Amino acid sequence: MEALVERLEKAVVRLETVAGKLQFGPGGVANGDIIISSHMTNGGESQSMEAFDLLLSGSVSEYVKTSTAIGGDVAKHAEMVNDAMQIQRSFLKMSMTHREPAKTELADLLRPLSDQIHEVQSFREKNRGSDLFNHLSAVSESIPALGWVAVCQKPGPYVKEMNDAAMFYTNRVLKDYKDTDGRHIEWVRSYLSIWTELQSYIKEHHTTGLVWSKTGPVAPSSQFSAPSAGPLPPPPPPPPVFMENNPAAQHSALFAQLNQGQDITKGLKHVCDEQKTHKNASLRCPGERIPRESPARSQTRRHSPVLELEGKKWRVEHQDQSHDLLIEDTELRQVVYVFSCNRSTLQIRGKVNSIIVDNCKKLGLVFDSAVGIVEIINSTDVQLQVMGKVPTISINKTEGCHVYLSRDSLDCEIVSAKSSEMNILVPEGEDDYREFPVPEQFKTVWDGSGLLTEPTKIAG
C-alpha cells in the first residue's frame, strides 16, 4: 500500500509540473492546481493519464536503459525518442481538458510532435555509415506511430503498421547479435514493447481516435506551441528509404504537411460550390493522400550526383543516364550505398563488405565479390551481376530484378519479400545463362500439426 501511495504522489507531481509548463492562459485553465483538480474529478481521464504514465515508466524507460547500455548512436537516438514521448504526453494531457480545435489550429498543436519525429528520422539519415544503422532504421521507420493522435477511426492498427515496419530491421539486429551480445536482444524486446503497449493503451482509451474534452475551452494552439522566431520554413522532404507503398513514409509526409501551420493553405485554389467536397467524411480525416507537388517545387529539390568515398562508405547517389560509373581500389571493410540512381550502370571492382541499392530505376550493377549481404530495396528494373562470390542477396519491395550468378556464387542464398518479376540466371555453357523465375505466389495448408507453405503457380 505504501508503494502504491508513493507512486500516486509521484504521478501527481509530474502532472503538476507539466501543467505548469503549458500555461494555457486566460481562455483556458489558469494553473497546474486547477488542472489537476478538474482532471482528477473525471475517473476516465485519470485512468487514461495513469495508463500512459505507466507506459513511460515501463517499456519506454526500459528502452532508454537498454539503449544507454549499448551507447553511441543508439543512446543518442533513445534520448530523442524519449523527448517525443514526453511531447505526446503533454499533448494528451491538454486534450483531456480542452475541446478539439479547428484543423489549422490542430496543425499548430501537432507541430512540436512533428518536429521531434522529423529530428528522430533525420538522425538516421545523417548516420548512414553507423555500425548500428539497423537499430537507427528500426526506430526511424516506426517513430511516426506517435502520429496516431492525428489518425481518425483506427489509430490502433496504424500503430501496428509502424511496429511491423520496425521489425524489418529489428530482425536484422537479432540475426547479427543473437549469439554475441545479449544487450541488443534486450534492446529489441524493450523497443518493440513500446508500440505493443501503445496499441493496448489506444484500444482501451482512444479506440476510434483521440478523445477530446467535451466541456473545456477550445485548445489554444498559439500558446501551447513553442514561440517561433519567424515564419515557418517549408517542410523537409521525408526520408528516402521505403517511400513507395510505405505507411511510415506516408505518415511522415502527413506530419510534414501539418508542420506548415497556417502556410498549409497557400497551395489551395478557389473552387465553385458544385465542386466542393468538404462534406465527404474521408476528406475530413488526416492521413489521406497529400496533393502532388507542383513542378516548380519539385525542381528545387533536385540533388547533384554523387560518387565519393565517405569514411568506409562509398556513396553513389542521384546519378541519371550515367553508364560509366566505376568504383575501384576497394577494401573489405567498405560498404557501397547506391541511392536514387536512374538509367545508369555501376561497376565495382575488388571485394567489398556489402552493397545496398535503394530507390533506383533501370540500374545495372556489376560487382566482383561481397563478403556480406547485397540488398535491393524499393527499386524497379534492376539488373545485378556477380562476377565472383556473394553469400546473400536480399530483394525487398522491388518490381523487376534480374540476378546473374557466377559459377562461384551458385550457393548464394536469395531472400525476397513484397517483390515481383524476379528472375535468377545461372551460367550454362561458356557464355550462356539459363533463366529461372522466383515464385511470387504461395499456397499454405494445415497438415495436422502446423502450416505447410510451398510455391504455387498463379491460379487462373
Side-chain angles (χ1 to χ4, degrees):
M1 178 63 71
E2 292 179 355
L4 177 60
V5 172
E6 182 181 359
R7 188 178 69 178
L8 289 174
E9 290 176 347
K10 290 181 178 179
V12 170
V13 171
R14 287 198 300 268
L15 289 171
E16 290 175 340
T17 301
V18 173
K21 290 181 179 179
L22 290 180
Q23 296 180 355
F24 288 122
V29 183
N31 56 54
D33 292 336
I34 296 179
I35 289 178
I36 293 299
S37 176
S38 64
H39 174 63
M40 295 302 288
T41 59
N42 189 318
E45 293 178 358
S46 175
Q47 293 175 3
S48 174
M49 207 66 228
E50 182 179 353
F52 195 80
D53 282 338
L54 288 175
L55 170 65
L56 295 179
S57 61
S59 56
V60 175
S61 178
E62 184 66 21
Y63 156 68
V64 173
K65 179 181 177 181
T66 56
S67 298
T68 302
I70 295 174
D73 293 335
V74 169
K76 296 176 183 177
H77 221 197
E79 293 177 5
M80 298 178 186
V81 173
N82 188 48
D83 289 344
M85 297 297 298
Q86 296 299 330
I87 292 173
Q88 176 140 112
R89 185 192 184 281
S90 298
F91 184 88
L92 291 174
K93 180 70 170 63
M94 179 272 305
S95 70
M96 292 176 181
T97 55
H98 288 72
R99 284 179 292 155
E100 184 175 6
K103 287 295 190 301
T104 54
E105 280 133 11
L106 179 60
D108 284 339
L109 284 170
L110 289 172
R111 182 170 55 188
L113 182 59
S114 171
D115 289 345
Q116 190 63 24
I117 289 175
H118 176 67
E119 183 177 344
V120 171
Q121 294 180 316
S122 296
F123 186 81
R124 188 271 295 268
E125 298 307 315
K126 295 174 183 176
N127 293 276
R128 284 191 166 271
S130 173
D131 293 335
L132 301 170
F133 182 70
N134 285 331
H135 298 68
L136 305 185
S137 296
V139 174
S140 180
E141 288 295 311
S142 55
I143 193 64
L146 296 182
W148 71 268
V149 292
V151 176
C152 296
Q153 298 180 352
K154 295 182 179 180
Y158 165 63
V159 174
K160 184 181 184 304
E161 290 178 3
M162 299 301 101
N163 186 58
D164 293 343
M167 290 180 67
F168 178 84
Y169 289 98
T170 55
N171 287 340
R172 295 185 180 184
V173 175
L174 294 175
K175 180 180 179 181
D176 292 341
Y177 294 97
K178 64 179 180 181
D179 298 323
T180 58
D181 194 337
R183 294 177 302 171
H184 299 267
I185 311 303
E186 286 301 309
W187 181 88
V188 169
R189 181 195 59 76
S190 63
Y191 182 70
L192 293 180
S193 68
I194 294 175
W195 307 128
T196 302
E197 293 183 20
L198 183 59
Q199 290 175 59
S200 299
Y201 167 79
I202 293 171
K203 183 177 181 180
E204 183 175 356
H205 300 284
H206 304 277
T207 309
T208 58
L210 178 64
V211 177
W212 292 81
S213 172
K214 301 297 184 183
T215 58
V218 176
S221 59
S222 60
Q223 296 181 36
F224 178 80
S225 304
S228 175
L232 290 175
V241 180
F242 301 132
M243 277 303 300
E244 296 178 4
N245 300 322
N246 183 339
Q250 292 169 2
H251 284 274
S252 296
L254 160 67
F255 273 91
Q257 286 291 102
L258 290 173
N259 196 27
Q260 296 178 67
Q262 294 181 351
D263 289 343
I264 197 170
T265 59
K266 287 187 176 180
L268 301 180
K269 65 178 182 179
H270 177 75
V271 295
C272 56
D273 290 341
E274 58 268 19
Q275 292 177 309
K276 294 179 180 179
T277 56
H278 61 279
K279 293 186 178 181
N280 187 332
S282 64
L283 298 178
R284 297 198 300 269
C285 179
E288 299 299 321
R289 181 172 297 179
I290 296 171
R292 185 172 297 178
E293 288 184 335
S294 65
R297 182 164 183 176
S298 299
Q299 186 76 14
T300 63
R301 290 188 177 179
R302 287 187 177 178
H303 298 273
S304 300
V306 175
L307 198 166
E308 64 180 12
L309 178 62
E310 185 180 84
K312 62 179 182 179
K313 178 177 69 174
W314 284 97
R315 293 175 53 210
V316 186
E317 302 176 0
H318 308 294
Q319 300 285 346
D320 190 15
Q321 299 192 51
S322 301
H323 297 286
D324 56 352
L325 300 174
L326 175 64
I327 293 178
E328 50 187 354
D329 298 327
T330 56
E331 300 177 5
L332 281 178
R333 65 186 184 92
Q334 294 174 347
V335 299
V336 180
Y337 178 64
V338 187
F339 172 70
S340 192
C341 294
N342 302 322
R343 295 166 294 179
S344 299
T345 304
L346 170 66
Q347 182 178 2
I348 304 172
R349 294 178 180 171
K351 185 179 292 187
V352 296
N353 183 280
S354 60
I355 303 171
I356 298 176
V357 175
D358 182 4
N359 198 30
C360 295
K361 295 182 180 179
K362 298 186 182 299
L363 175 74
L365 172 64
V366 181
F367 67 97
D368 288 350
S369 296
V371 297
I373 192 171
V374 173
E375 297 182 77
I376 313 297
I377 305 172
N378 199 29
S379 297
T380 305
D381 293 338
V382 174
Q383 295 197 39
L384 172 72
Q385 182 170 9
V386 51
M387 307 302 292
K389 285 186 66 66
V390 60
T392 306
I393 296 176
S394 172
I395 307 171
N396 190 67
K397 295 184 179 180
T398 293
E399 296 182 4
C401 184
H402 288 67
V403 178
Y404 293 80
L405 298 176
S406 66
R407 296 188 185 278
D408 293 334
S409 61
L410 292 179
D411 59 349
C412 171
E413 183 180 84
I414 299 172
V415 181
S416 61
K418 298 182 180 180
S419 299
S420 61
E421 301 177 34
M422 299 170 290
N423 293 279
I424 309 301
L425 296 96
V426 300
E428 186 175 67
E430 291 297 326
D431 300 309
D432 200 7
Y433 283 86
R434 185 179 178 186
E435 184 174 347
F436 295 89
V438 176
E440 301 174 21
Q441 189 176 61
F442 300 87
K443 178 178 67 177
T444 301
V445 297
W446 174 258
D447 66 355
S449 60
L451 295 178
L452 178 64
T453 302
E454 60 183 12
T456 182
K457 294 181 180 179
I458 297 177

